Amino acid sequence: MSAEASPRSISDHLRGVLGACRDVLAHLPRLALDIALPTQCVSCREPVDGEGVCASCWAKLSFIEPPYCPRLGIPFVYDPGPELLSMEAIANPPAYQRARAAVRYDDIARTLVHSLKYQDRTDLAPAMGRWMARTGKELLDEADVLVPVPLHWRRGWSRRYNQSGALARVISRQSGVKLAAEALRRIRPTEQQIGLSRPQRAANVQGAFKVAPERSADIAGRRVILIDDVLTSGATTDACARALLRAKAAQVDVLVFARVVDSHRPPI
């Protein structure tokens, strides 16, 4: 620095140096952790940088692309033509208007969901949420508000976070659609849906959800997207959609990370 440098320029230079030092110090804990515990692919356990899934396992994810049922988002084997519904949508139309899923619920998708849900791998939510936002762009472009499927407070207390809420926050940031995280509540505890038949699943969640009275203005007259991690029988999303419609939602759509696709049933 020249002798003619002004005190102000020296001060600005020092502030810049100090700012750079603060940035380095702020990242030291994360750097040390990455060195000590390098990130591994949640599926094959190979080292991976950032996304939680290595390139090989990412390529094995079965992303759901058109053609699919415009109501349920179930993929078709071939394109049957515009607006043709699947047999399931015709036989058992849901309370919600449309459902979209980023991927099929296969082995790798299951590992991702279980890691996020049960193993505190909240670092997976950004990638999963971005894939959901890409898949649900058509829905998000028309939406007013995002509502995650809620946990009962007892389960939320033991799990410490709601995986659907984590995904919804990412999607809200990606899309700019408002998030109403506390609008829908699970007013009674329910059993785990795993292992229950379709009728048992529906009975298990019947009347379990309600829009909080003080949050009704977030829902009434709004086009709502319900956010969840997995769509299986659809019992939980249907019960949530009915609760939102009782609160005068104008329309309810569903956006999930993965959905179960019955490969033994004809798609149309």
Side-chain angles (χ1 to χ4, degrees), residues 187-198:
I187 57 176
R188 65 173 179 82
T190 55
E191 296 179 31
Q192 290 279 0
Q193 296 279 63
I194 298 172
L196 300 180
S197 66
R198 184 181 289 263

Side-chain angles (χ1 to χ4, degrees), residues 81-98:
E83 302 306 315
L84 186 63
L85 299 179
S86 62
M87 293 298 293
E88 186 174 344
I90 295 170
N92 298 293
Y96 52 83
Q97 188 66 27
R98 298 170 293 181

Side-chain angles (χ1 to χ4, degrees), residues 6 18 34 53 66 86 127 141 149 177 179 188 217 227 229:
S6 69
L18 289 172
D34 287 346
V53 184
S86 62
D141 286 347
V149 171
V177 179
L179 174 62
R188 65 173 179 82
I227 305 294
D229 53 355

Side-chain angles (χ1 to χ4, degrees), residues 82 140 177 183 195 216 219:
L140 292 163
V177 179
S216 59
I219 303 302

